[in-house]
Amino acid sequence: MTTTTNPLDTLRGAVRGTVVTRGDPSYDESRRVYNALHDRRPAAVVHAVDAGDVMAAVLHAREHSLPLAVRGGSHSVAGFGTVDDGLVVDLSRMRGVRVDPEARTARAEGGATWGDFNHATHAFGLATTGGVVSTTGIGGLTLGGGMGHLARRCGLSCDNLIAADVVTAEGTLVSCDAERHPDLFWALRGGGGNFGVAVSLAYRLHPVDHVFGGLTCYPLGPDVARAWQRMNEDAPVELNTILVMALGPEEPFLPERWHGRPICAAFTCFSGPTADDEKVLGLLDGLGPVVGRFMERMPYPVINTLFDEQLPPGLFHYWKGAFSRDLSDGAIDAHMAFGETMPSMESDTAIFPIDGACHEVGPEETAFAYRDAVFSHSIGGTWTDPADSEADIAWTRAYEKALRPHTEQGGYVNFMDDDDQDRVRVNYRQNFDRLRAVKRRYDPDNVFRLNQNIVP
């Protein structure tokens, strides 16, 4: 008598974590991702607890020709952390962070969020650049480049990556840094999830304890944008302000008459000395008439939580991105026009400064190609009712189309959606051919293709 072994039973026997499949009580929870626009039904979700589990899952996907999705913090706006009828490797149980305060480094597991990371490093008065929402995963943000509150002072997240452990398409664990597998290490710093599963990432840290931060709001208008650009040109690198166009939040610091009305806001993080806080307020006052403000000294990890309640899991998101070397009149006009028609309270546009320390790294030193860009534009269509999906997606596409003549050809891969595959080459610009060569070496069969994909 012969028996046939269920492949999923074999997978369950090969991992220490759990394998969730259709019909299991936790299936709906396991398949859920941050962006509710992507309601997909994978064949299985592997909740990995260590690198061995990830290796087993990758080998299983290869052997059975299953599309493979990798999920860290689950924030992929494009929905790359899930897949229909395929295998999801979920790293959310791998969240440990170990800090070496003397060396000023930290090594974190691939499922850690920036909240996890900031909590661990703040105990030693240290930090590195990492996003603006604490529930974002460190892996996806870093592999795409990594912008955040400390970018002008400390560089991008990927500029502070000093080593990584990666499970490759062959199911092997490769440790890489500037000396070991330097081609893979180069590609990881901006090349996205094309080359493997980053199960461990090591970072350089910087002395950052408390910061002066928060939100200063102004009426929506082109003069605010122009003044912000001028301020940014001369501001010390410790001053990082993100220009936001949104509808006025229903918060106590903003008068009720501005709730739901189009505004500009300066989302500020100043990591300089307390003695200069008043100077920062003076600079912010110079951007335009202030209609509301929340600014205070806070521990650095707190500033990455300020928008967590406004952006919980389960919202619908559709985003676009662009780079620019300046804010031209045409770009400002486009931002103002679409800022006036912001479709929901949850939607916003954010313009991130990426100068300062970001420009101290050459355009070919990492895979992040746009070192000559000064700004990164995020057009964030976000809504709560699925009935609004068609209209809000159309609004975002029209916005990006209007902005495109005034920006560079490419944009930040972490702001791109799943219909932007035709932009991959321009997103990587002069580094694309080299990235493709690394892809051919480490993933010639394109196992890791659910991303802004570099086809081998």
Side-chain angles (χ1 to χ4, degrees):
M1 180 172 128
T2 61
T3 59
T4 301
T5 302
N6 185 329
L8 288 174
D9 289 338
T10 302
L11 177 60
R12 287 187 176 95
V15 302
R16 292 187 64 202
T18 56
V19 179
V20 178
T21 59
R22 293 168 183 160
D24 289 343
S26 61
Y27 178 71
D28 281 339
E29 179 62 30
S30 290
R31 72 184 182 86
R32 189 172 296 124
V33 293
Y34 180 79
N35 185 357
L37 195 63
H38 304 290
D39 184 22
R40 296 177 184 149
R41 304 185 67 83
V45 178
V46 177
H47 293 279
V49 298
D50 56 24
D53 283 1
V54 177
M55 294 162 67
V58 171
L59 287 173
H60 179 87
R62 284 200 64 143
E63 180 181 352
H64 297 281
S65 301
L66 293 173
L68 178 65
V70 181
R71 180 190 304 163
S74 183
H75 270 237
S76 170
V77 170
F80 294 138
T82 186
V83 62
D84 283 323
D85 302 319
L87 184 69
V88 174
V89 179
D90 187 298
L91 306 178
S92 61
R93 296 184 185 176
M94 299 172 58
R95 296 172 65 166
V97 183
R98 182 178 178 85
V99 181
D100 183 339
E102 293 186 4
R104 290 183 179 174
T105 61
R107 181 173 284 274
E109 292 183 294
T113 66
W114 285 108
D116 301 326
F117 190 91
N118 292 336
H119 173 78
T121 61
H122 182 69
F124 304 97
L126 299 169
T128 202
T129 306
V132 296
V133 177
S134 74
T135 55
T136 304
I138 64 167
L141 186 120
T142 300
L143 298 183
M147 290 174 281
H149 293 299
L150 300 176
R152 299 188 71 237
R153 172 181 167 184
C154 304
L156 303 173
S157 302
C158 71
D159 299 337
N160 292 283
L161 186 70
I162 56 176
D165 294 332
V166 181
V167 175
T168 69
E170 294 181 351
T172 59
L173 184 68
V174 173
S175 296
C176 65
D177 54 29
E179 303 297 329
R180 301 170 297 169
H181 299 278
D183 57 342
L184 178 60
F185 182 58
W186 174 85
L188 292 178
R189 289 175 290 163
N194 276 283
F195 309 98
V197 185
V199 294
S200 174
L201 302 102
Y203 296 86
R204 180 185 305 106
L205 303 177
H206 307 266
V208 179
D209 192 353
H210 282 60
V211 298
F212 185 48
L215 210 63
T216 303
C217 301
Y218 315 86
L220 181 72
D223 290 345
V224 176
R226 293 188 180 99
W228 175 78
Q229 178 172 214
R230 290 193 299 270
M231 182 190 74
N232 200 66
E233 291 171 355
D234 300 322
V237 294
E238 294 84 3
L239 178 58
N240 200 99
T241 60
I242 301 166
L243 184 66
V244 178
M245 276 73 72
L247 300 180
E250 296 178 359
E251 296 289 347
F253 67 85
L254 189 66
E256 187 174 347
R257 67 189 182 90
W258 285 98
H259 292 179
R261 291 179 59 186
I263 62 166
C264 287
F267 188 16
T268 301
C269 176
F270 175 61
S271 57
T274 305
D276 290 342
D277 288 357
E278 288 298 322
K279 293 180 182 178
V280 170
L281 288 177
L283 291 172
L284 295 173
D285 287 346
L287 300 186
V290 176
V291 298
R293 171 178 280 156
F294 165 75
M295 288 283 293
E296 66 181 32
R297 276 272 155 181
M298 63 186 73
Y300 172 71
V302 172
I303 199 166
N304 272 348
T305 68
L306 295 185
F307 286 99
D308 286 5
E309 290 186 5
Q310 285 79 17
L311 296 170
L315 300 179
F316 296 81
H317 303 268
Y318 181 82
W319 292 7
K320 294 294 180 185
F323 288 123
S324 69
R325 301 184 191 187
D326 62 7
L327 279 182
S328 67
D329 288 344
I332 291 173
D333 289 345
H335 283 308
M336 296 303 119
F338 282 87
E340 290 283 359
T341 61
M342 198 70 64
S344 68
M345 291 293 292
E346 296 78 19
S347 297
D348 67 41
T349 294
I351 306 177
F352 291 75
I354 49 171
D355 55 347
C358 302
H359 284 185
E360 295 173 6
V361 179
E364 297 178 8
E365 289 185 49
T366 68
F368 187 90
Y370 280 84
R371 295 292 176 172
D372 54 347
V374 177
F375 303 114
S376 179
H377 307 245
S378 164
I379 304 172
T382 301
W383 59 98
T384 59
D385 187 343
D388 295 332
S389 295
E390 184 177 350
D392 286 27
I393 289 172
W395 176 86
T396 306
R397 287 173 173 164
Y399 193 158
E400 190 273 333
K401 184 178 180 181
L403 188 62
R404 189 176 297 183
H406 313 290
T407 56
E408 301 294 311
Q409 282 188 297
Y412 180 41
V413 292
N414 286 353
F415 292 157
M416 296 294 170
D417 224 292
D418 61 350
D419 56 0
D420 282 313
Q421 296 295 332
D422 61 333
R423 299 185 66 188
V424 170
R425 179 178 283 274
V426 295
N427 290 341
Y428 289 118
R429 208 167 49 172
Q430 75 277 357
N431 292 331
F432 178 81
D433 290 337
R434 183 176 173 188
L435 282 165
R436 196 171 192 182
V438 178
K439 177 76 169 179
R440 286 171 175 162
R441 178 177 180 184
Y442 291 94
D443 186 15
D445 298 322
N446 207 13
V447 172
F448 300 106
R449 59 184 178 273
L450 296 180
N451 43 51
Q452 297 297 335
N453 192 230
I454 299 167
V455 179

